[in-house]
Amino acid sequence: MDNSTAVYDARTLGKGRMLVLGFQHMFAMFGATILVPTITGLSVSATLLFAGLGTLLFHWFTKWKVPAFLGSSFAFLGGYATVVAMGKELGMSQMEALPYACVGVVAAGLLYFVLAAAVKAFGVRRVMRLFPPVVTGPIIISIGLILAGTAVGSILSCWWVALIAILVVVVCNIWGKGMIKIIPILLGVLASYVVAAIAGQVDGTAIREAAWIGLPFQWSDTGMYALTTGRWDFLLTAIIAIMPIAIATMIEHIGDICAIGSTTDRNYLEDPGLHRTLMGDGAATVLASLFGAPANTTYGENTGVLNLTRVFDARVVRIAAVVAILFSFSPKFAALIGCMPAATIGGVSLILYGMISSVGIRSLVENHVDLTDSRNLIITALTITLAVGIHYGCDGGALQFGSIAISGLACAAIIGILAAVILPESEKREYSSITSYAEMTKAEYQILLMLYVANIDGKIQDSELAVMLQKADPDTLAKMRDLFARMSEHEVLECIRVNNGRFASKPADREQILVDLRAIVGADERIAPQADYLCATIEKLLV
């Protein structure tokens, strides 16, 4: 991507333009962020407050470098719904059960710190092997399928209001240009809400009675309140039900950081480091949940704004965070959101929940998960059927073990990971994603390097290096040719970085890569004569 015209210091644009850009980021995240508390029953004001504070906290953890906005996570909707359903079995209302769900999300947020420590100690690729796409993809698919029933139920309250929301979202997303394409959810909500109000479907009493200024949350709605009730059995149930969802959200986080890095042409996994971005996301989620707000996550909507505006300065995102904090102190604004028709929420949710499942499918496709392989097919089948089957087939949407209940998502995540660890992989090993490149042998890596140079320089066809390729093990050569045919240049260069970090004593900057590459290639007596040429060619591409 050509970033020659990109702006990395927004101060050069002036304060006025920076403020406008900040508002644009706020509106980009707005529709999805307020939709989560509207669906779950959590406080809209608290959600905005801790989306803003969480974003600022994330920026502090990441040394103010990553231009990411943290908004409400849809991944935990199934967890909130499950805990509320289990609470109803115990005679609790929705508002009484939600603080316990927040404690479960706090526990999920703490898992980010565990993964961050593991990443710091062992490296990202080694840790990610415990969470392969064949497990995380079906978990994400299951989240959308579990939520689909609530969307349909809301739509039935007034189908034509829901239809307006759906049509506006579709039209804006498919045919919209510029900012219209960035905020289709917000526009769908607004259009449906306005039409419903004109048609007399909205009771505005609460809006008229609400104060203009007030506190964003109440003590009885917070996760901290749930910790004082002494109902430790239900607290433990909520933790078990929600905590495993963090497996999917942490994978999602890594994908979001890679997407932001790709957009801005910066490697945030290295600087400030994945461990720092994980801690920032986890800390924001813990803080929000303690005060009764939804879990936070890095927002793809704002990555779209970065791509649209070509302004990559994190200061602009921090302006959006401050604006969100200011909105959170207006109860009248929260009442305006609370009066939204259920059918409006159902209409946009129908698309959003389907998109959640679609993201899981895309994860399987992009990572080339082979579902003709019996092992992968069994893991996928077990994960989806356990998650969906337990949710719809068991009372309260969970398996009951005494006073402890395990949700379908939790059970699916546990069984999926165990199956991926225990079931043997097929003998024909496939390299399908950057995380799995770390499984290459040294011989395979050397062949891939030679294929790369041979592909970019026609002169190599007549050299000794071409002869070396012909002498390579036929099966290994065929396997690496197949892999190379599916790789982009970015993936090849990332593979070089990954494997130099494995086979050499030091990972990663450009100069060290070249030093280590020369040592790795030169270690093979057959390839050593071509080491200088090979390294010199790759050096040009690492600039």
Side-chain angles (χ1 to χ4, degrees), residues 44 50 111 139 152 170 178 202 245 403 420 425 429 500 527 540:
V44 172
F50 289 100
L111 274 184
I139 288 175
V152 174
V170 171
V202 177
I245 298 175
S403 60
E425 296 187 40
R429 189 171 46 172
N500 273 282
I527 303 174
K540 298 174 185 177

Side-chain angles (χ1 to χ4, degrees), residues 453-531:
V453 175
N455 183 67
I456 60 177
D457 192 335
K459 294 182 297 183
I460 207 72
Q461 294 176 2
D462 300 321
S463 72
E464 294 179 23
L465 192 56
V467 177
M468 299 306 169
L469 280 172
Q470 295 175 3
K471 293 181 178 179
D473 176 68
D475 291 337
T476 304
L477 180 59
K479 179 168 60 178
M480 301 317 292
R481 282 189 188 278
D482 177 65
L483 171 64
F484 182 73
R486 294 187 280 112
M487 294 172 73
S488 65
E489 183 167 297
H490 168 75
E491 288 178 310
V492 175
L493 294 178
E494 184 63 20
C495 181
I496 292 172
R497 293 184 176 91
V498 169
N499 284 289
N500 273 282
R502 294 175 60 229
F503 296 130
S505 57
K506 299 178 182 178
D509 63 22
R510 176 175 169 272
E511 290 73 17
Q512 189 62 49
I513 286 174
L514 294 170
V515 171
D516 293 340
L517 184 63
R518 191 177 302 277
I520 293 166
V521 176
D524 190 317
E525 293 181 358
R526 299 177 305 161
I527 303 174
Q530 294 292 333

Side-chain angles (χ1 to χ4, degrees), residues 106-256:
V106 169
L110 294 175
L111 274 184
Y112 281 73
F113 287 87
V114 175
L115 183 61
V119 167
K120 183 66 174 176
F122 304 110
V124 61
R125 275 107 192 157
R126 208 175 278 181
V127 173
M128 291 303 296
R129 291 181 66 181
L130 293 175
F131 310 109
V134 72
V135 175
T136 56
I139 288 175
I140 298 171
I141 292 171
S142 300
I143 291 172
L145 295 178
I146 286 172
L147 293 168
T150 61
V152 174
S154 297
I155 288 173
L156 293 177
S157 64
C158 187
W159 67 267
W160 63 266
V161 171
L163 183 61
I164 292 173
I166 294 170
L167 289 176
V168 172
V169 171
V170 171
V171 169
C172 292
N173 195 52
I174 300 298
W175 291 285
K177 303 293 183 182
M179 196 63 190
I180 298 297
K181 194 175 182 68
I182 297 295
I183 54 171
I185 298 297
L186 178 60
L187 294 176
V189 168
L190 288 175
S192 178
Y193 198 166
V194 170
V195 173
I198 294 173
Q201 298 288 320
V202 177
D203 182 3
T205 304
I207 301 174
R208 291 190 294 270
E209 294 178 351
W212 282 101
I213 299 176
L215 292 176
F217 58 86
Q218 299 178 1
W219 170 251
S220 59
D221 297 334
T222 66
M224 291 185 291
Y225 168 76
L227 292 171
T228 66
T229 61
R231 302 194 66 164
W232 302 110
D233 53 346
F234 192 49
L235 279 170
L236 184 58
T237 293
I239 291 171
I240 293 174
I242 292 180
M243 201 172 184
I245 298 175
I247 295 171
T249 59
M250 288 187 292
I251 302 298
E252 179 188 6
H253 168 91
I254 295 171
D256 287 339

